[in-house]
C-alpha cells in the first residue's frame, strides 16, 4: 500500500511540513543559556537537512525519468494496455486493499506527532575542548605555539597573538611562500571552519566562501589583494626576480655572470637544474636554456628528483604564482571567518587577560562554578538584585557602585568606524582602537590604523585626515 509513488509523495510532503512546523515551534522558544542556543541551532540544522534530503527525493519523483509516476496515474484512471476501463481498475484496486489487510490484520494508523515532538527535547552532542567553553572562546594554543616557533612568526604572548593572527596580510610576502606557512595557514583555516560549524550551524558557509572566492578573484586579477599587491600581473605570472631570469635580455654568458652566484642559483633551482659549481658554470648551464627547450636538455644538467618543466621558466613561474594565489585565497577566507567571529575573538582575549589576573585557587573555583548545571545557574541569576542596572562582573554579579563610578562606565562612546558599536567607559573606549573590530573597520576603509587616527571615530573625519 505505502509503496506506491503517490503515497510516497504524500508522505514526503507531510514529513516536510511537520519539520517546518517543528522548526517554527523550536525557534519561538528563547534559549536560556549559550549551551541551549547551540542545542537549538543544531536541532534546527538537523531538521533543515532532513527537509533538504526529502525535497531532493520529491524532485526525482516529479521529474519522473522512468515514467513510473505517469503510469501509476494512468492506472488509477483505468487506462490499461487494452484500453480504458474504470470499473476494472476500481475492483483491482479494491482487491489489492483487501489482500493487504488480510495479510496485515493488526495494521493500524500510527500518530507520529509525539515522536516528532520528542525531537524538540533532544540535546545534540557537540564536542568542545575545555578552553572553548561551549563555543564561548577560541582555543588557539596549538596554532600559537606553531606561530612563535616559525620563521614568519614573532615571540609574543598568547594575548597579543589573538590580536595578530587574524591579520595574515601583515606578514612579509617572502616569508609566506614556504611549506611551513602554508601548513600553518591550512591548519588555522581548518580549525576556524570547524569551530564556526559547531557554533553557527545555521550559517551557509559554502555560500559565504563562494562570495569570498568571487571577490578575491576580481581583486587578484586587479592586483589589489592586501599583502600581494605587487604579486598579480596582467600576464598571470609573478615577477622574474622571484623565480627565473628572462634570458631574452642577455646575449652572452658573461652578462649572466654579472648577476652573481645567488641570483643564478635561484634561477637554476626554479627550472629544476643543478645549482652547484662556479659562477661561470652556473651561467653556462642557465644560458643553455635560452635556445634549447628544457625537455631536450641532457639529464646530467638536472638536479636529482627534479621534474622537467614543459617550458623554460614559464611553468616554474606559473606554478609559484598558483601557490601564491592559493595561499592568498586561504588568507581571504580566514579574514572573513575572523570577521564573523570578531565577538568571540574579543571575548577570548578578555578571558585570557582575566585569567592572567587570577590565582590558581580562583581559577579552580571558577572552573567549579562553570560545571554547575545550567538550571541552577539560571535560578541564581533570577534572584540577583540589581536596581541600578550595573554591569555584571566576572563572578556573574553586579560590580560595586564605586567601581562603576571610578571607571565612568555610565558614559557611552560610539564609534562609527566600528559600525556604531557602543563602548562604556573611557578605558574600554581607548582600548578599542587596538582591537580587531576597529582595525577591521579601518582596513575596510583603506586607511592605516596608526597612532595619528587615535580618538577618530567618524568615517568622514578619518577619510579627510592626512595619512602621511
Amino acid at each position: 500500500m505505502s509503496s506506491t509513488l503517490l503515497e510516497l509523495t504524500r508522505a514526503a510532503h507531510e514529513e516536510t511540513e511537520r519539520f517546518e512546523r517543528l522548526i517554527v515551534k523550536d525557534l519561538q522558544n528563547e534559549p536560556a543559556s549559550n549551551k541551549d542556543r547551540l542545542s537549538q541551532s543544531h536541532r534546527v540544522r538537523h531538521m533543515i537537512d532532513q527537509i533538504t534530503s526529502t525535497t531532493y527525493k520529491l524532485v526525482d519523483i516529479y521529474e519522473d525519468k522512468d515514467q513510473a509516476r505517469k503510469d501509476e496515474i494512468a492506472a488509477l484512471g483505468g487506462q490499461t494496455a487494452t484500453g480504458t476501463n474504470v470499473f476494472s481498475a476500481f475492483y483491482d484496486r479494491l482487491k489489492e486493499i483487501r489482500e493487504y489487510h488480510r495479510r496485515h490484520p493488526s495494521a493500524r494508523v500510527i500518530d507520529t506527532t509525539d515522536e516528532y515532538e520528542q525531537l524538540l527535547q533532544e540535546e545534540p552532542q557537540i564536542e568542545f575542548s575545555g578552553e572553548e567553553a561551549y563555543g564561548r572562546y577560541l582555543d588557539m594554543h596549538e596554532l600559537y605555539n606553531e606561530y612563535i616557533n616559525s620563521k614568519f612568526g614573532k615571540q609574543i604572548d598568547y594575548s597579543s597573538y589573538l590580536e595578530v593572527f587574524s591579520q595574515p596580510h601583515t606578514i612579509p610576502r617572502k616569508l609566506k611562500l614556504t611549506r611551513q606557512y602554508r601548513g600553518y595557514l591550512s591548519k588555522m583555516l581548518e580549525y576556524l571552519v570547524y569551530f564556526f560549524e559547531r557554533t553557527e550551524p545555521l550559517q551557509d558557509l559554502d555560500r559565504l566562501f563562494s562570495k569570498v572566492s568571487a571577490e578575491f578573484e576580481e581583486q587578484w586579477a586587479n592586483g589589489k589583494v592586501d599583502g600581494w599587491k605587487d604579486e598579480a600581473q596582467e600576464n598571470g605570472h609573478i615577477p622574474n626576480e622571484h623565480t627565473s631570469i628572462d634570458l631574452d635580455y642577455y646575449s652572452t654568458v658573461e652578462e649572466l655572470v654579472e648577476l652573481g652566484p645567488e641570483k643564478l642559483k635561484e634561477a637554476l633551482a626554479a627550472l629544476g637544474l643543478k645549482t652547484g659549481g662556479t659562477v661561470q658554470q652556473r651561467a653556462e648551464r642557465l644560458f643553455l636554456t635560452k635556445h634549447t627547450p628544457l625537455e631536450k636538455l641532457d639529464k646530467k644538467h638536472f638536479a636529482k628528483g627534479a621534474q622537467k618543466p614543459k617550458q623554460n621558466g614559464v611553468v616554474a613561474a606559473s606554478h609559484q604564482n598558483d601557490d601564491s594565489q592559493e595561499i592568498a585565497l586561504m588568507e581571504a577566507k580566514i579574514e572573513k571567518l575572523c570577521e564573523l567571529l570578531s565577538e568571540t575573538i574579543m571575548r577570548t582575549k578578555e578571558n585570557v587577560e582575566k585569567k592572567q589576573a587570577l590565582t590558581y585557587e580562583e581559577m579552580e573555583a571558577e572552573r567549579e562554578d562553570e560545571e554547575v548545571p545550567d538550571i541552577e545557574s539560571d535560578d541564581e541569576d533570577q534572584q540577583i538584585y540589581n536596581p541600578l542596572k550595573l554591569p555584571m562582573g566576572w563572578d556573574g554579579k553586579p560590580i560595586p557602585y564605586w567601581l562603576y563610578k571610578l571607571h565612568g562606565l555610565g558614559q557611552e562612546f560610539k564609534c562609527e568606524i566600528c559600525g556604531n558599536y557602543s563602548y562604556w567607559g573611557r578605558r574600554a573606549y581607548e582600548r578599542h582602537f587596538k582591537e580587531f573590530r576597529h582595525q577591521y573597520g579601518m582596513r575596510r576603509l583603506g586607511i592605516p590604523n596608526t597612532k595619528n587616527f587615535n580618538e577618530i571615530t567618524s568615517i568622514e573625519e578619518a577619510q579627510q585626515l592626512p595619512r602621511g
Side-chain angles (χ1 to χ4, degrees):
M1 290 291 293
S2 61
S3 61
T4 64
L5 274 178
L6 293 180
E7 173 60 21
L8 289 174
T9 304
R10 185 207 62 77
H13 279 292
E14 181 184 12
E15 181 180 354
T16 300
E17 291 174 2
R18 283 184 183 273
F19 278 125
E20 288 175 350
R21 287 195 293 269
L22 284 175
I23 290 174
V24 172
K25 188 173 182 180
D26 200 354
L27 292 177
Q28 286 175 340
N29 299 322
E30 189 67 26
S33 64
N34 183 61
K35 184 179 179 181
D36 292 338
R37 184 191 69 81
L38 285 177
S39 296
Q40 182 190 71
S41 297
H42 280 273
R43 280 197 304 270
V44 172
R45 174 78 263 174
H46 174 69
M47 288 187 281
I48 290 175
D49 290 340
Q50 292 291 331
I51 291 175
T52 304
S53 176
T54 304
T55 303
Y56 281 134
K57 294 177 183 177
L58 282 171
V59 170
D60 290 338
I61 292 175
Y62 283 122
E63 287 181 349
D64 200 19
K65 294 179 180 179
D66 57 357
Q67 301 293 311
R69 183 171 179 271
K70 181 179 179 181
D71 293 342
E72 187 172 315
I73 293 175
L76 288 175
Q79 297 179 13
T80 62
T82 58
T84 302
N85 192 330
V86 178
F87 291 104
S88 176
F90 170 79
Y91 285 112
D92 288 341
R93 190 67 171 168
L94 179 62
K95 181 180 179 181
E96 181 184 345
I97 294 172
R98 286 175 174 173
E99 181 64 21
Y100 174 84
H101 286 286
R102 185 186 66 78
R103 286 186 280 108
H104 305 281
S106 60
R108 60 186 180 86
V109 178
I110 301 176
D111 186 5
T112 58
T113 302
D114 293 339
E115 181 180 343
Y116 278 88
E117 289 288 337
Q118 290 178 0
L119 293 174
L120 299 178
Q121 309 301 324
E122 290 184 357
E123 292 189 7
Q125 296 298 319
I126 314 165
E127 294 183 358
F128 287 106
S129 68
E131 291 288 336
E132 292 173 328
Y134 287 105
R136 285 186 56 80
Y137 313 119
L138 291 167
D139 184 2
M140 306 289 290
H141 288 86
E142 184 178 346
L143 290 163
Y144 164 69
N145 289 330
E146 189 169 340
Y147 176 83
I148 61 176
N149 292 299
S150 66
K151 293 182 179 180
F152 56 83
K154 299 178 181 178
Q155 292 298 320
I156 56 177
D157 58 26
Y158 183 58
S159 179
S160 300
Y161 172 73
L162 292 173
E163 291 185 356
V164 302
F165 84 89
S166 58
Q167 305 168 21
H169 62 277
T170 60
I171 298 176
R173 191 185 65 195
K174 63 182 180 180
L175 299 178
K176 296 180 180 181
L177 299 175
T178 62
R179 184 179 301 175
Q180 185 184 38
Y181 181 75
R182 177 194 287 269
Y184 163 79
L185 215 61
S186 179
K187 289 179 183 177
M188 181 184 293
L189 180 59
E190 181 181 359
Y191 171 72
L192 291 177
V193 167
Y194 181 49
F195 183 88
F196 190 79
E197 288 175 342
R198 287 177 294 161
T199 56
E200 300 292 341
L202 297 182
Q203 290 276 9
D204 190 348
L205 197 56
D206 291 336
R207 183 178 62 83
L208 288 172
F209 277 171
S210 296
K211 185 177 180 181
V212 169
S213 298
E215 293 176 353
F216 170 81
E217 293 293 340
E218 182 179 354
Q219 292 177 350
W220 181 264
N222 297 327
K224 296 182 179 180
V225 179
D226 285 347
W228 304 86
K229 289 184 178 179
D230 57 340
E231 186 74 15
Q233 301 294 326
E234 293 181 0
N235 58 6
H237 302 310
I238 59 178
N240 289 332
E241 61 265 27
H242 294 291
T243 52
S244 59
I245 297 171
D246 190 351
L247 297 178
D248 291 339
Y249 293 99
Y250 302 92
S251 56
T252 64
V253 174
E254 286 70 23
E255 292 178 358
L256 287 175
V257 171
E258 295 178 359
L259 294 174
E262 292 302 320
K263 194 74 173 178
L264 294 171
K265 182 178 180 180
E266 291 178 5
L268 289 168
L271 297 175
L273 300 174
K274 291 181 179 179
T275 58
T278 63
V279 179
Q280 181 72 20
Q281 291 172 334
R282 294 179 185 178
E284 291 174 354
R285 191 179 305 124
L286 182 61
F287 196 75
L288 288 174
T289 65
K290 181 176 176 66
H291 303 292
T292 306
L294 288 176
E295 60 270 18
K296 294 184 179 181
L297 279 181
D298 195 316
K299 293 182 180 179
K300 67 180 182 180
H301 296 299
F302 289 90
K304 291 183 178 180
Q307 296 181 351
K308 294 183 179 181
K310 294 181 180 178
Q311 296 178 2
N312 298 357
V314 175
V315 174
S318 178
H319 176 70
Q320 189 166 353
N321 183 63
D322 291 342
D323 289 345
S324 301
Q325 188 171 354
E326 184 179 348
I327 293 172
L329 179 57
M330 283 196 289
E331 290 180 347
K333 290 180 178 179
I334 287 174
E335 289 188 355
K336 181 61 177 179
L337 287 171
C338 289
E339 176 191 347
L340 297 172
L341 295 171
S342 59
E343 295 287 343
T344 306
I345 294 173
M346 285 189 289
R347 194 162 52 235
T348 304
K349 187 175 182 297
E350 292 172 356
N351 183 58
V352 170
E353 293 174 346
K354 179 190 73 173
K355 285 185 175 180
Q356 290 173 347
L358 296 178
T359 64
Y360 175 76
E361 290 75 15
E362 290 173 333
M363 291 176 65
E364 286 296 316
E366 187 178 82
R367 187 175 292 110
E368 291 177 2
D369 291 340
E370 290 178 353
E371 293 175 356
V372 175
D374 293 336
I375 298 177
E376 295 181 12
S377 63
D378 292 342
D379 292 340
E380 291 177 1
D381 291 341
Q382 293 174 0
Q383 297 174 4
I384 292 176
Y385 181 67
N386 187 16
L388 298 178
K389 301 186 182 302
L390 299 174
M392 307 303 289
W394 295 341
D395 56 357
K397 298 178 181 179
I399 65 173
Y401 183 70
W402 65 267
L403 187 62
Y404 172 80
K405 294 294 290 183
L406 177 66
H407 292 292
L409 298 181
Q411 188 176 8
E412 180 183 12
F413 297 89
K414 280 194 174 184
C415 180
E416 187 180 1
I417 296 173
C418 295
N420 288 322
Y421 191 84
S422 296
Y423 297 93
W424 295 91
R426 183 71 188 180
R427 182 182 177 185
Y429 169 71
E430 292 177 350
R431 188 173 55 188
H432 99 276
F433 289 103
K434 298 180 181 179
E435 293 177 346
F436 174 78
R437 181 187 284 109
H438 191 82
Q439 292 175 347
Y440 179 77
M442 294 289 284
R443 194 159 68 247
R444 290 293 296 269
L445 294 173
I447 303 174
N449 191 31
T450 61
K451 292 182 179 179
N452 297 337
F453 292 88
N454 277 3
E455 302 293 331
I456 301 297
T457 58
S458 168
I459 293 177
E460 183 179 356
E461 291 180 6
Q463 290 174 336
Q464 292 177 354
L465 192 67
R467 306 180 188 183

